[in-house]
Amino acid sequence: MAKAELMNYEKALEQFEVVIGLEVHVELNTNTKMFCGCANIFGDEPNTNVCPICIGLPGSLPAVNKKAVESSIAIGLALGCQIAPNGRFSRKNYFYPDLAKNFQTSQYDEPIAFEGSIEVEVPSGKKFTVEIERAHMEEDAGKLTHIGGNTGRIQGAEYSLVDYNRAGVPLVEIVTKVVYGAGAEAPELAAAYVRLIREMVKAMDVSDARMERGNVRCDANVSLRPHGDPKLGTRTETKNVNSLRSIERAVRYEIQRQAHILANGGKITQETRHWHEDKGATSAGRPKSDADDYRYFPEPDLVPVQPSVEWVESIRATLPENPALRRRRLQDEWAFSDLEFRDVVNAGLLDQLVETVEAGAKPQAARKWWTGELARLANSEDKDVSELNITGVQVAELATLVEAGKLNDRLAREVLTYVLAGEGSPAQVVAARGLEVVSDDGALLAAIDAALASQPDVLEKIREGKLQAAGAVIGAVMQAMKGSADAGRVRELIIERANQG
Ligand SMILES: [Zn+2]
């Protein structure tokens, strides 16, 4: 793949206005699929959760999953949408091997939810209102795995495997209206929007919301137009970007790529594009015109979806707190500064913090571990901190051990690496590896006396009030104890020694 030429980002923004639009697919966590009784489980043996309905055998008849409709309504309400009193499913006809029915059951002109809006805050603290055009129900397709070739894509592959376990899993597709005015912050806005959707669906418990498993996937539409031009530019649609960082990078890349083409008199091709995380670039997919004709027609095998007002209102009553209000409440409860709180939100760590604090850690300690050492470790492995193999409960356990003086900072960091390596909870690691701080004063005093023997003038200096002289002895003791001493306690003991003499 030849790398496209890019315009400098600031220069691109001087010349062009950025216009974006976002489509987010949320996979629902219902027990069963959208139109059949097959289990909706991630990671089972391929083609074990299939039946005549979800692989589209002739004569099979679908039935709508009530829980999926309920979850879809909940999502619509959380997005401030109106709920359609009468909605229908439609067949979207196309052939692809991961879709054995030859059509996808979706919603076309009668989505379950429409006309909403949500407020999205970007890392700078600026707030944008993102208008929602619609949220509709549909089914997922199966999963293709291309073998051979080195890109994992169909090009160059020797053969492909298909797994229909995912075929028929319920999805809600949320489509925004065109978003203007984000300017240089368009990439951050796109990522913050998806983060908010993820936070919402997780809080409502309608999706597992794990991006690395494809539970939340984003298609990002980007177009540019010269400032002041009333006509929208030609857009590209970067498909299935599945991490927040990738969304931000993909939008930024498209802005720079399109700006270079337009500034040099070229034309943007209306097409889908793929994001390549390793190369930090997008590549052309298939051309996509607005007139793509899927021959939608009403699904004759399903009755219309007609949620009653009572049902919709009973779902509304179960909605969790609005995310913006929840954030405000948590910031108050934790007594975080705006900056501290924003750091947590922007790192996508709000849920982790809640779990850690609920498990007994002090909010500031929870923040320090997640945005400090854990973020650093994730970064060094080129991962999202949320992908690390550690839970809030485990971080709380670590913080509690530090708080109780059983671990010092250095030991706690060491314990973390073993927890991440799967050796168990912090307490289990401490027990198995004997990493606890030495709190036995006898052992500490022996080390102190040994250190003092080589620095006999230190006690005299301390008696004269030169307390900083203790530093050299503390250092020697920590070294002798291989870091497993509590430096504060060592200092106390040295001063006691001086006062005794
Ligand atoms: Zn099935």
Side-chain angles (χ1 to χ4, degrees), residues 300-379:
D301 288 339
L302 291 167
V303 293
V305 179
Q306 297 172 314
S308 68
V309 174
E310 294 74 34
W311 192 30
V312 171
E313 289 314 308
S314 73
I315 296 170
R316 194 194 301 278
T318 66
L319 287 187
E321 194 177 7
N322 163 296
L325 295 178
R326 174 172 181 252
R327 287 180 181 185
R328 234 163 282 156
R329 173 178 62 78
L330 290 171
Q331 185 178 352
D332 282 353
E333 281 176 14
W334 295 342
F336 281 7
S337 70
D338 287 350
L339 190 67
E340 286 170 343
F341 195 74
R342 209 178 293 153
D343 276 352
V344 171
V345 171
N346 292 333
L349 289 169
L350 203 53
D351 289 333
Q352 284 85 342
L353 261 274
V354 170
E355 193 190 340
T356 310
V357 172
E358 277 175 359
K362 291 191 170 155
Q364 285 294 1
R367 184 185 64 80
K368 194 192 85 176
W369 285 110
W370 280 107
T371 62
E373 185 64 8
L374 286 165
R376 192 187 66 76
L377 288 167
N379 203 35

Side-chain angles (χ1 to χ4, degrees), residues 49 104 269 323:
N49 299 319
Q104 180 189 30
T269 310

Side-chain angles (χ1 to χ4, degrees), residues 444 447-448 451-452 455 458 462 467-495:
L444 293 178
I448 289 169
L452 284 171
Q455 304 180 62
V458 167
I462 292 174
L467 291 178
Q468 69 274 26
V473 181
I474 296 171
V477 171
M478 293 302 280
Q479 206 168 4
M481 307 289 295
K482 298 195 170 61
S484 63
D486 174 354
R489 182 65 188 145
V490 173
R491 190 169 191 278
E492 282 169 17
L493 289 172
I494 294 170
I495 293 168

